[in-house]
Amino acid sequence: MASKITGISIQDFKRVRLVEIQPNANGLTILGGRNAQGKSSCLDAIAYALGGEAFRPSDLKNHEAEKNAAIRVEIDGLIVERAGKNAALKITDARGMHGNQSLLNEIVGRFALDLGTFMRANGTEKAKMLLKMFPELEKELAELKKQDETIRTARADVNRDIKRLQFQFDDMPQFEGLPAEEISIEMLTQKLAAANAAEMQLRTAESTLNQIEMEIVAEERELTRNNDECAAAEKALEDFENSIELRRAELRQAIEKTVERRAQTQQRKNDLDLKKQEKAAEVETRRADTNGVAAAIQAEISQIGDTNAKIRRNAERRNLYTQISALKAKSDGQTAELDNIERSRKRLLQDTELPLPELSITEEGELLFRGQQWDCMSGAERLKVATAICMKSKPGCGFVLIDGLEAMDQQTLAEFGAWLEELNMQGIGTIVGNTAATVIIEDGRVKDN
Protein backbone atom coordinates (compact mmCIF):
# COMPACT_ATOMS: atom_id res chain seq x y z
CA MET A 1 0.00 0.00 0.00
CA ALA A 2 1.29 3.48 -0.90
CA SER A 3 2.64 5.64 1.94
CA LYS A 4 0.62 8.75 2.77
CA ILE A 5 0.93 11.62 5.19
CA THR A 6 -1.56 11.38 8.04
CA GLY A 7 -0.51 14.35 10.15
CA ILE A 8 1.63 17.50 9.95
CA SER A 9 2.80 19.79 12.74
CA ILE A 10 5.11 22.73 12.00
CA GLN A 11 6.28 25.38 14.46
CA ASP A 12 8.58 28.39 14.07
CA PHE A 13 9.84 27.29 10.63
CA LYS A 14 10.52 30.08 8.11
CA ARG A 15 7.21 32.02 7.88
CA VAL A 16 5.24 29.44 9.88
CA ARG A 17 4.38 30.14 13.51
CA LEU A 18 2.23 27.11 14.19
CA VAL A 19 0.39 24.93 11.70
CA GLU A 20 -1.17 21.56 12.43
CA ILE A 21 -2.96 19.70 9.63
CA GLN A 22 -4.47 16.31 8.97
CA PRO A 23 -4.55 16.13 5.16
CA ASN A 24 -7.18 14.23 3.21
CA ALA A 25 -6.18 10.63 2.56
CA ASN A 26 -7.09 10.93 -1.14
CA GLY A 27 -7.55 13.92 -3.42
CA LEU A 28 -6.35 17.44 -2.72
CA THR A 29 -5.63 19.22 0.53
CA ILE A 30 -5.17 22.88 -0.43
CA LEU A 31 -3.43 25.46 1.77
CA GLY A 32 -4.88 28.83 0.81
CA GLY A 33 -4.41 32.43 1.80
CA ARG A 34 -2.72 35.64 0.81
CA ASN A 35 0.88 35.86 -0.33
CA ALA A 36 3.71 35.60 2.21
CA GLN A 37 1.55 34.00 4.91
CA GLY A 38 3.48 30.69 5.19
CA LYS A 39 1.77 28.38 2.70
CA SER A 40 4.88 27.46 0.75
CA SER A 41 6.85 27.28 4.00
CA CYS A 42 4.57 24.41 5.04
CA LEU A 43 5.48 22.46 1.90
CA ASP A 44 9.17 23.29 2.44
CA ALA A 45 8.93 21.92 5.97
CA ILE A 46 7.41 18.63 4.79
CA ALA A 47 10.04 18.31 2.05
CA TYR A 48 12.87 18.99 4.50
CA ALA A 49 11.50 16.60 7.12
CA LEU A 50 11.15 13.72 4.65
CA GLY A 51 13.81 14.54 2.05
CA GLY A 52 16.70 15.43 4.32
CA GLU A 53 19.62 17.74 3.72
CA ALA A 54 18.98 18.02 -0.03
CA PHE A 55 15.86 20.06 0.89
CA ARG A 56 17.33 22.01 3.83
CA PRO A 57 16.63 25.76 3.41
CA SER A 58 19.39 28.29 4.02
CA ASP A 59 17.49 29.63 7.04
CA LEU A 60 15.18 27.39 9.11
CA LYS A 61 14.02 29.61 11.93
CA ASN A 62 11.12 32.02 12.13
CA HIS A 63 12.97 35.03 13.48
CA GLU A 64 9.90 36.45 15.16
CA ALA A 65 9.84 33.38 17.45
CA GLU A 66 12.12 32.58 20.37
CA LYS A 67 12.22 28.81 19.96
CA ASN A 68 13.98 26.69 17.39
CA ALA A 69 12.06 25.29 14.46
CA ALA A 70 10.23 22.02 15.03
CA ILE A 71 8.67 19.81 12.35
CA ARG A 72 6.67 16.63 12.82
CA VAL A 73 5.29 14.53 9.94
CA GLU A 74 3.36 11.30 10.39
CA ILE A 75 3.70 8.97 7.37
CA ASP A 76 3.02 5.28 6.94
CA GLY A 77 3.01 4.62 10.70
CA LEU A 78 6.26 6.54 11.18
CA ILE A 79 6.75 9.74 13.16
CA VAL A 80 9.38 11.91 11.49
CA GLU A 81 10.66 14.85 13.56
CA ARG A 82 13.22 17.57 13.06
CA ALA A 83 13.82 19.82 16.05
CA GLY A 84 16.48 21.56 18.08
CA LYS A 85 19.19 23.95 17.09
CA ASN A 86 20.46 21.73 14.27
CA ALA A 87 17.04 20.32 13.38
CA ALA A 88 18.30 16.80 13.97
CA LEU A 89 16.30 13.98 12.39
CA LYS A 90 14.39 11.55 14.59
CA ILE A 91 12.26 8.67 13.22
CA THR A 92 10.20 6.32 15.38
CA ASP A 93 7.46 3.82 14.64
CA ALA A 94 4.53 2.60 16.74
CA ARG A 95 6.79 0.09 18.48
CA GLY A 96 9.30 2.76 19.38
CA MET A 97 11.85 1.51 16.85
CA HIS A 98 14.17 4.12 15.36
CA GLY A 99 15.14 4.71 11.73
CA ASN A 100 17.25 7.05 9.60
CA GLN A 101 17.12 8.94 6.31
CA SER A 102 17.67 5.73 4.34
CA LEU A 103 14.35 4.43 5.60
CA LEU A 104 12.59 7.56 4.36
CA ASN A 105 14.36 7.37 1.00
CA GLU A 106 12.89 3.91 0.47
CA ILE A 107 9.29 5.11 0.79
CA VAL A 108 9.37 8.76 -0.30
CA GLY A 109 10.02 9.77 -3.90
CA ARG A 110 12.15 12.80 -4.71
CA PHE A 111 9.59 14.06 -7.25
CA ALA A 112 6.87 13.89 -4.59
CA LEU A 113 8.76 16.45 -2.52
CA ASP A 114 9.90 18.64 -5.37
CA LEU A 115 7.42 18.42 -8.23
CA GLY A 116 8.51 21.92 -9.24
CA THR A 117 11.89 20.61 -10.44
CA PHE A 118 10.09 18.42 -12.95
CA MET A 119 7.60 21.18 -13.84
CA ARG A 120 10.39 23.69 -14.51
CA ALA A 121 12.50 21.33 -16.63
CA ASN A 122 12.31 21.66 -20.40
CA GLY A 123 10.59 19.06 -22.55
CA THR A 124 13.80 17.14 -23.27
CA GLU A 125 14.80 17.00 -19.61
CA LYS A 126 11.30 15.81 -18.67
CA ALA A 127 11.54 13.00 -21.22
CA LYS A 128 14.93 11.99 -19.82
CA MET A 129 13.51 11.92 -16.29
CA LEU A 130 10.69 9.69 -17.52
CA LEU A 131 13.03 7.34 -19.37
CA LYS A 132 15.19 6.89 -16.28
CA MET A 133 12.26 4.91 -14.89
CA PHE A 134 12.43 2.52 -17.88
CA PRO A 135 16.11 1.57 -18.35
CA GLU A 136 15.44 -0.99 -21.09
CA LEU A 137 13.22 1.42 -23.01
CA GLU A 138 15.81 4.16 -22.58
CA LYS A 139 18.53 1.87 -23.90
CA GLU A 140 16.49 0.73 -26.92
CA LEU A 141 15.36 4.29 -27.75
CA ALA A 142 18.95 5.51 -27.46
CA GLU A 143 20.06 2.79 -29.89
CA LEU A 144 17.27 3.71 -32.32
CA LYS A 145 18.19 7.38 -32.00
CA LYS A 146 21.83 6.52 -32.72
CA GLN A 147 20.78 4.57 -35.82
CA ASP A 148 18.47 7.43 -36.82
CA GLU A 149 21.24 10.04 -36.48
CA THR A 150 23.71 7.86 -38.42
CA ILE A 151 21.24 7.37 -41.27
CA ARG A 152 20.20 11.03 -41.26
CA THR A 153 23.85 12.11 -41.47
CA ALA A 154 24.44 9.70 -44.35
CA ARG A 155 21.22 10.82 -46.07
CA ALA A 156 22.21 14.47 -45.65
CA ASP A 157 25.51 13.67 -47.42
CA VAL A 158 23.63 11.84 -50.19
CA ASN A 159 21.12 14.68 -50.61
CA ARG A 160 23.97 17.18 -50.70
CA ASP A 161 25.60 15.13 -53.50
CA ILE A 162 22.24 14.95 -55.31
CA LYS A 163 21.87 18.72 -55.08
CA ARG A 164 25.42 19.27 -56.33
CA LEU A 165 25.09 16.81 -59.21
CA GLN A 166 21.60 18.09 -60.09
CA PHE A 167 23.01 21.61 -60.32
CA GLN A 168 25.72 20.35 -62.69
CA PHE A 169 23.15 18.34 -64.68
CA ASP A 170 20.77 21.31 -65.05
CA ASP A 171 23.68 23.52 -66.14
CA MET A 172 24.90 21.09 -68.84
CA PRO A 173 23.63 21.68 -72.44
CA GLN A 174 21.88 18.88 -74.36
CA PHE A 175 23.08 18.55 -77.99
CA GLU A 176 20.35 17.03 -80.16
CA GLY A 177 20.83 14.97 -83.32
CA LEU A 178 24.23 13.54 -82.36
CA PRO A 179 25.21 9.86 -82.08
CA ALA A 180 25.82 8.32 -78.68
CA GLU A 181 29.40 7.33 -79.56
CA GLU A 182 32.23 9.61 -80.72
CA ILE A 183 32.85 9.81 -84.49
CA SER A 184 35.97 7.95 -85.75
CA ILE A 185 38.47 10.09 -87.70
CA GLU A 186 39.75 6.87 -89.35
CA MET A 187 36.26 6.10 -90.67
CA LEU A 188 35.87 9.63 -92.04
CA THR A 189 39.32 9.37 -93.64
CA GLN A 190 38.26 6.18 -95.38
CA LYS A 191 35.10 7.91 -96.58
CA LEU A 192 37.21 10.83 -97.84
CA ALA A 193 39.53 8.42 -99.72
CA ALA A 194 36.51 6.76 -101.34
CA ALA A 195 35.10 10.18 -102.29
CA ASN A 196 38.46 11.22 -103.77
CA ALA A 197 38.61 7.96 -105.78
CA ALA A 198 35.11 8.60 -107.09
CA GLU A 199 36.16 12.13 -108.05
CA MET A 200 39.19 10.75 -109.89
CA GLN A 201 36.93 8.36 -111.79
CA LEU A 202 34.69 11.34 -112.62
CA ARG A 203 37.68 13.28 -113.94
CA THR A 204 38.72 10.25 -116.05
CA ALA A 205 35.19 10.01 -117.47
CA GLU A 206 35.21 13.76 -118.18
CA SER A 207 38.57 13.39 -119.96
CA THR A 208 37.17 10.54 -122.05
CA LEU A 209 34.14 12.71 -122.87
CA ASN A 210 36.42 15.55 -123.95
CA GLN A 211 38.35 13.17 -126.19
CA ILE A 212 35.09 11.96 -127.77
CA GLU A 213 34.04 15.57 -128.32
CA MET A 214 37.39 16.26 -130.03
CA GLU A 215 36.88 13.20 -132.26
CA ILE A 216 33.38 14.45 -133.14
CA VAL A 217 34.85 17.84 -134.10
CA ALA A 218 37.44 16.06 -136.31
CA GLU A 219 34.71 14.00 -137.96
CA GLU A 220 32.61 17.12 -138.45
CA ARG A 221 35.62 18.74 -140.14
CA GLU A 222 36.03 15.61 -142.30
CA LEU A 223 32.33 15.69 -143.12
CA THR A 224 32.61 19.35 -144.10
CA ARG A 225 35.59 18.53 -146.30
CA ASN A 226 33.64 15.65 -147.84
CA ASN A 227 30.70 17.95 -148.44
CA ASP A 228 33.03 20.43 -150.10
CA GLU A 229 34.55 17.72 -152.25
CA CYS A 230 31.10 16.42 -153.14
CA ALA A 231 30.00 19.92 -154.10
CA ALA A 232 33.16 20.37 -156.17
CA ALA A 233 32.59 17.01 -157.88
CA GLU A 234 28.97 17.89 -158.60
CA LYS A 235 30.10 21.19 -160.06
CA ALA A 236 32.76 19.39 -162.07
CA LEU A 237 30.12 16.91 -163.16
CA GLU A 238 27.89 19.74 -164.23
CA ASP A 239 30.79 21.40 -166.07
CA PHE A 240 31.95 18.29 -167.87
CA GLU A 241 28.69 16.39 -168.15
CA ASN A 242 28.31 17.31 -171.73
CA SER A 243 31.93 16.79 -172.73
CA ILE A 244 33.17 13.45 -171.63
CA GLU A 245 30.87 10.56 -170.69
CA LEU A 246 33.76 8.65 -169.21
CA ARG A 247 34.63 11.52 -167.00
CA ARG A 248 31.00 11.58 -165.92
CA ALA A 249 31.19 7.95 -165.01
CA GLU A 250 34.39 8.54 -163.08
CA LEU A 251 32.90 11.50 -161.38
CA ARG A 252 29.70 9.57 -160.65
CA GLN A 253 31.87 6.88 -159.16
CA ALA A 254 33.78 9.51 -157.16
CA ILE A 255 30.49 10.99 -156.00
CA GLU A 256 29.22 7.61 -154.96
CA LYS A 257 32.41 6.99 -153.00
CA THR A 258 32.21 10.43 -151.48
CA VAL A 259 28.56 9.91 -150.61
CA GLU A 260 29.46 6.54 -149.11
CA ARG A 261 32.27 8.11 -147.07
CA ARG A 262 29.89 10.90 -146.04
CA ALA A 263 27.34 8.33 -144.92
CA GLN A 264 30.04 6.47 -143.01
CA THR A 265 31.27 9.71 -141.47
CA GLN A 266 27.68 10.66 -140.56
CA GLN A 267 27.18 7.22 -139.01
CA ARG A 268 30.39 7.56 -137.02
CA LYS A 269 29.31 11.04 -135.94
CA ASN A 270 25.92 9.70 -134.91
CA ASP A 271 27.61 6.89 -132.99
CA LEU A 272 29.91 9.40 -131.33
CA ASP A 273 26.92 11.64 -130.48
CA LEU A 274 25.18 8.67 -128.86
CA LYS A 275 28.36 7.73 -127.05
CA LYS A 276 28.76 11.36 -125.98
CA GLN A 277 25.21 11.41 -124.62
CA GLU A 278 25.81 8.17 -122.74
CA LYS A 279 29.11 9.36 -121.35
CA ALA A 280 27.63 12.78 -120.48
CA ALA A 281 24.81 10.99 -118.61
CA GLU A 282 27.41 8.87 -116.82
CA VAL A 283 29.42 11.98 -115.95
CA GLU A 284 26.33 13.76 -114.65
CA THR A 285 25.39 10.72 -112.57
CA ARG A 286 28.86 10.50 -111.10
CA ARG A 287 28.94 14.26 -110.60
CA ALA A 288 25.64 14.08 -108.66
CA ASP A 289 27.03 11.21 -106.58
CA THR A 290 30.33 12.85 -105.84
CA ASN A 291 29.29 16.50 -105.92
CA GLY A 292 30.26 17.99 -102.54
CA VAL A 293 30.86 14.60 -100.86
CA ALA A 294 34.55 15.17 -100.37
CA ALA A 295 33.96 18.75 -99.27
CA ALA A 296 31.27 17.61 -96.79
CA ILE A 297 33.55 14.92 -95.39
CA GLN A 298 36.42 17.41 -95.21
CA ALA A 299 34.14 19.83 -93.33
CA GLU A 300 33.02 17.02 -91.03
CA ILE A 301 36.66 16.14 -90.32
CA SER A 302 37.43 19.77 -89.55
CA GLN A 303 34.48 19.90 -87.10
CA ILE A 304 34.96 16.44 -85.60
CA GLY A 305 36.72 17.82 -82.51
CA ASP A 306 33.77 20.06 -81.64
CA THR A 307 31.26 17.32 -82.52
CA ASN A 308 33.02 14.72 -80.41
CA ALA A 309 33.26 17.25 -77.54
CA LYS A 310 29.47 17.63 -77.70
CA ILE A 311 29.03 13.85 -77.81
CA ARG A 312 31.26 13.54 -74.74
CA ARG A 313 29.21 16.21 -72.96
CA ASN A 314 26.04 14.27 -73.79
CA ALA A 315 27.66 11.10 -72.40
CA GLU A 316 28.74 12.97 -69.25
CA ARG A 317 25.19 14.26 -68.87
CA ARG A 318 23.75 10.76 -69.19
CA ASN A 319 26.29 9.47 -66.69
CA LEU A 320 25.43 12.32 -64.31
CA TYR A 321 21.72 11.49 -64.61
CA THR A 322 22.50 7.85 -63.78
CA GLN A 323 24.46 8.94 -60.69
CA ILE A 324 21.64 11.25 -59.56
CA SER A 325 19.08 8.46 -60.01
CA ALA A 326 21.22 6.05 -57.98
CA LEU A 327 21.70 8.63 -55.21
CA LYS A 328 17.97 9.39 -55.11
CA ALA A 329 17.23 5.69 -54.81
CA LYS A 330 19.75 5.49 -51.97
CA SER A 331 18.19 8.52 -50.26
CA ASP A 332 14.72 6.99 -50.61
CA GLY A 333 16.04 3.78 -49.06
CA GLN A 334 17.49 5.75 -46.14
CA THR A 335 14.15 7.54 -45.71
CA ALA A 336 12.44 4.14 -45.60
CA GLU A 337 14.94 3.03 -42.94
CA LEU A 338 14.15 6.17 -40.91
CA ASP A 339 10.43 5.43 -41.24
CA ASN A 340 11.04 1.91 -39.96
CA ILE A 341 13.04 3.27 -37.04
CA GLU A 342 10.22 5.71 -36.22
CA ARG A 343 7.68 2.88 -36.36
CA SER A 344 9.90 0.80 -34.07
CA ARG A 345 10.24 3.76 -31.70
CA LYS A 346 6.46 4.28 -31.56
CA ARG A 347 5.87 0.55 -31.11
CA LEU A 348 8.33 0.49 -28.19
CA LEU A 349 6.51 3.38 -26.52
CA GLN A 350 3.12 1.76 -27.17
CA ASP A 351 4.28 -1.55 -25.72
CA THR A 352 5.66 0.14 -22.59
CA GLU A 353 3.21 0.89 -19.82
CA LEU A 354 3.96 4.60 -19.37
CA PRO A 355 2.48 6.52 -16.41
CA LEU A 356 -0.37 7.83 -18.59
CA PRO A 357 -1.90 6.13 -21.66
CA GLU A 358 -1.58 9.21 -23.88
CA LEU A 359 1.95 10.01 -22.78
CA SER A 360 4.69 9.72 -25.39
CA ILE A 361 8.13 10.96 -26.44
CA THR A 362 8.93 12.58 -29.77
CA GLU A 363 11.75 11.53 -32.08
CA GLU A 364 13.69 14.58 -30.84
CA GLY A 365 13.27 13.45 -27.23
CA GLU A 366 10.46 15.87 -26.25
CA LEU A 367 7.74 14.83 -23.82
CA LEU A 368 4.22 14.67 -25.34
CA PHE A 369 0.79 14.28 -23.78
CA ARG A 370 -2.26 13.90 -26.00
CA GLY A 371 -0.08 14.98 -28.91
CA GLN A 372 0.88 18.29 -27.23
CA GLN A 373 4.26 19.45 -26.02
CA TRP A 374 4.60 20.77 -22.50
CA ASP A 375 4.14 24.45 -23.37
CA CYS A 376 0.88 23.64 -25.18
CA MET A 377 -0.63 21.59 -22.34
CA SER A 378 -3.21 23.01 -19.98
CA GLY A 379 -2.34 23.50 -16.32
CA ALA A 380 -4.35 20.43 -15.31
CA GLU A 381 -2.64 18.32 -17.98
CA ARG A 382 0.78 19.43 -16.77
CA LEU A 383 -0.07 18.51 -13.19
CA LYS A 384 -1.48 15.16 -14.31
CA VAL A 385 1.66 14.35 -16.26
CA ALA A 386 4.00 15.44 -13.48
CA THR A 387 1.99 13.61 -10.79
CA ALA A 388 1.70 10.43 -12.84
CA ILE A 389 5.46 10.40 -13.47
CA CYS A 390 6.01 11.13 -9.78
CA MET A 391 3.89 8.08 -8.88
CA LYS A 392 5.71 5.91 -11.40
CA SER A 393 9.11 6.98 -10.14
CA LYS A 394 8.25 5.73 -6.64
CA PRO A 395 5.14 3.51 -6.72
CA GLY A 396 5.20 3.12 -2.92
CA CYS A 397 4.92 6.89 -2.40
CA GLY A 398 1.23 7.85 -2.23
CA PHE A 399 1.48 11.64 -1.96
CA VAL A 400 2.80 14.63 -3.86
CA LEU A 401 3.47 18.26 -2.85
CA ILE A 402 2.23 20.87 -5.33
CA ASP A 403 3.02 24.57 -5.00
CA GLY A 404 1.10 27.18 -7.04
CA LEU A 405 -2.33 25.65 -7.75
CA GLU A 406 -3.74 29.10 -8.51
CA ALA A 407 -2.62 28.56 -12.11
CA MET A 408 -5.77 26.42 -12.54
CA ASP A 409 -9.38 27.56 -12.58
CA GLN A 410 -11.97 26.09 -10.20
CA GLN A 411 -13.26 23.48 -12.62
CA THR A 412 -9.80 22.31 -13.61
CA LEU A 413 -8.77 22.17 -9.98
CA ALA A 414 -11.83 20.08 -9.16
CA GLU A 415 -11.12 17.71 -12.07
CA PHE A 416 -7.52 17.31 -10.95
CA GLY A 417 -8.60 16.56 -7.38
CA ALA A 418 -11.12 13.99 -8.61
CA TRP A 419 -8.40 12.37 -10.73
CA LEU A 420 -6.14 12.06 -7.66
CA GLU A 421 -8.99 10.44 -5.76
CA GLU A 422 -9.50 7.90 -8.54
CA LEU A 423 -5.84 6.97 -8.23
CA ASN A 424 -6.01 6.82 -4.41
CA MET A 425 -3.35 9.52 -4.48
CA GLN A 426 -2.86 12.27 -1.90
CA GLY A 427 -2.00 15.79 -3.02
CA ILE A 428 -0.99 18.64 -0.69
CA GLY A 429 -0.77 21.98 -2.45
CA THR A 430 -0.92 25.75 -2.08
CA ILE A 431 -3.10 28.36 -3.71
CA VAL A 432 -3.27 32.14 -3.50
CA GLY A 433 -6.72 33.11 -2.18
CA ASN A 434 -9.35 31.41 -0.07
CA THR A 435 -11.93 30.22 -2.60
CA ALA A 436 -10.73 26.67 -3.18
CA ALA A 437 -8.70 26.29 0.01
CA THR A 438 -9.10 23.36 2.37
CA VAL A 439 -7.01 25.10 5.03
CA ILE A 440 -6.38 28.84 5.21
CA ILE A 441 -2.99 30.02 6.43
CA GLU A 442 -2.75 33.54 7.78
CA ASP A 443 0.29 35.05 9.45
CA GLY A 444 1.88 31.64 9.82
CA ARG A 445 -1.10 30.02 11.49
CA VAL A 446 -4.17 28.00 10.52
CA LYS A 447 -7.05 30.49 10.35
CA ASP A 448 -9.90 28.22 9.43
CA ASN A 449 -10.30 24.52 8.81
Side-chain angles (χ1 to χ4, degrees), residues 197-327:
E199 189 172 351
M200 288 296 295
Q201 292 176 357
L202 174 62
R203 289 177 182 174
T204 301
E206 288 176 341
S207 176
T208 302
L209 178 61
N210 291 334
Q211 184 177 358
I212 292 172
E213 288 178 343
M214 290 175 66
E215 290 179 4
I216 290 173
V217 169
E219 292 298 331
E220 285 178 343
R221 289 175 180 172
E222 180 66 20
L223 180 60
T224 301
R225 187 167 55 253
N226 290 336
N227 287 335
D228 290 343
E229 288 179 1
C230 183
E234 287 176 346
K235 187 176 183 303
L237 176 61
E238 184 181 355
D239 292 342
F240 295 103
E241 189 175 19
N242 299 321
S243 59
I244 303 173
E245 187 64 33
L246 180 61
R247 181 65 176 162
R248 178 184 294 167
E250 292 175 353
L251 290 174
R252 286 186 183 278
Q253 187 177 4
I255 290 171
E256 289 174 357
K257 289 181 179 180
T258 303
V259 170
E260 183 180 356
R261 287 198 304 273
R262 183 177 64 181
Q264 291 174 350
T265 302
Q266 183 67 49
Q267 183 61 45
R268 287 197 301 272
K269 178 180 180 298
N270 291 341
D271 292 343
L272 287 172
D273 284 338
L274 180 60
K275 191 174 181 180
K276 173 184 176 184
Q277 292 175 5
E278 291 174 351
K279 186 56 68 175
E282 179 186 348
V283 168
E284 287 301 321
T285 300
R286 291 190 177 185
R287 180 179 289 115
D289 291 340
T290 59
N291 186 27
V293 172
I297 295 174
Q298 190 67 47
E300 190 174 357
I301 290 175
S302 66
Q303 296 175 358
I304 192 171
D306 183 58
T307 301
N308 283 341
K310 291 178 179 179
I311 292 172
R312 286 194 295 273
R313 292 296 296 277
N314 282 348
E316 291 171 4
R317 197 171 187 269
R318 288 194 301 273
N319 182 52
L320 206 57
Y321 181 81
T322 302
Q323 292 182 52
I324 292 171
S325 299
L327 287 173

Side-chain angles (χ1 to χ4, degrees), residues 121-128 130-131 145 345 349 359-369 372-375 377:
N122 60 40
T124 304
E125 292 169 344
K126 288 181 175 70
K128 289 180 180 178
L130 174 60
L131 288 176
K145 184 173 180 61
R345 191 186 69 80
L349 291 170
L359 199 62
S360 184
I361 298 173
T362 68
E363 186 179 354
E364 292 76 24
E366 287 276 341
L367 192 68
L368 285 185
F369 181 61
Q372 301 290 331
Q373 291 184 339
W374 183 263
D375 59 345
M377 297 179 199

Side-chain angles (χ1 to χ4, degrees), residues 164-182:
R164 174 177 56 79
L165 293 179
Q166 187 67 52
F167 179 79
Q168 293 180 20
F169 180 81
D170 294 340
D171 197 46
M172 293 180 75
Q174 172 69 25
F175 301 103
E176 302 293 342
L178 294 179
E181 301 296 331
E182 291 189 38

Side-chain angles (χ1 to χ4, degrees), residues 373-394:
Q373 291 184 339
W374 183 263
D375 59 345
C376 296
M377 297 179 199
S378 67
E381 288 174 330
R382 293 179 184 181
L383 280 174
K384 278 187 178 181
V385 170
T387 304
I389 293 175
C390 167
M391 293 169 60
K392 189 70 176 181
S393 68
K394 200 79 168 180

